[in-house]
Amino acid sequence: MKCIILSLFPDAAAAYFDYSIMKRAREKSLLTIDFCSLRDFGMGKHRITDDVPYGGGAGMVLKPDPIFSALDAMAQKYGEIRVIMPSPQGIVFRQEKALDFSRESRVIVFVCGRYEGIDARVSEGITLETVSIGDYVLTGGELPALVMIDAAVRLIPGVLGDKDSLKGESFSNGLLGYPQYTRPAEFRGMRV
């Protein structure tokens, strides 16, 4: 699986991939993760990436120009790319979508919004999928991107230490997992 996180703050997400299962997936070359700063494609001497909402209102909106430029550069470098934009307006992310991502041969680019969002011309002018991880507001799209990548990477054969780990896991057969216990057999009066 090959992913790129396009963000104003790419370093905020990078450390997640240096631990545990994500680290092992990278070491086994089952996951390639890159981070791209939207500021690298910003406009003018100050690398501007946002502006006030057209027609007024609070906050700032990410401009379309840097996003189009970044995605054009990625398409030129990698060929056909799959673009995902985390958004509350998107389809709800479920295990089936994680499996779909885990089998993707193209580079998956996660376009992470900030502030009041992304200029709507991005979703109008680029073939992309909007995907939601739930009905709540976050500071940016980096956390949803991490959630989606984590869920997908676990499904890649060879990532988990034991190939049978996924068989009884929640959602592997449409159901939640069963309660788990460890030793000792009794703890504070509660038995396995």
Side-chain angles (χ1 to χ4, degrees), residues 146-157:
L146 293 177
V147 166
M148 290 185 259
I149 294 168
D150 185 292
V153 168
R154 298 172 51 78
L155 300 173
I156 298 171

Side-chain angles (χ1 to χ4, degrees), residues 85-93 129-133 135:
M85 187 170 67
S87 170
Q89 290 88 10
I91 62 162
V92 176
F93 184 73
E129 300 167 60
T130 54
V131 183
S132 172
I133 64 165
D135 293 339

Side-chain angles (χ1 to χ4, degrees), residues 32 44 57 64-66 78 88 107 128 139 156 168-169 171 178 184 188 190:
T32 301
D65 325 41
Y78 299 106
V107 172
L128 57 75
T139 303
I156 298 171
E169 198 168 53
F171 306 112
Y178 47 82
R188 295 188 178 185
M190 297 174 281

Side-chain angles (χ1 to χ4, degrees), residues 178-188 190-192:
Y178 47 82
Q180 300 283 349
Y181 298 93
T182 187
R183 289 178 239 172
E186 185 174 334
F187 175 76
R188 295 188 178 185
M190 297 174 281
R191 296 196 54 78
V192 170

Side-chain angles (χ1 to χ4, degrees), residues 50-117:
D50 57 3
D51 202 349
V52 296
Y54 192 83
M60 301 294 277
V61 176
L62 292 180
K63 297 174 72 60
D65 325 41
I67 296 171
F68 273 84
S69 295
L71 294 174
D72 288 346
M74 290 175 199
Q76 185 173 358
K77 181 176 181 177
Y78 299 106
E80 188 179 356
I81 58 175
R82 183 175 182 181
V83 182
I84 307 298
M85 187 170 67
S87 170
Q89 290 88 10
I91 62 162
V92 176
F93 184 73
R94 300 201 185 286
Q95 191 74 358
E96 296 80 24
K97 183 60 85 174
L99 185 59
D100 176 39
F101 286 175
S102 75
R103 295 175 174 166
E104 181 60 64
S105 60
R106 296 171 289 181
V107 172
I108 303 174
V109 180
F110 291 87
V111 179
C112 300
R114 278 280 161 163
Y115 314 126
E116 296 303 313

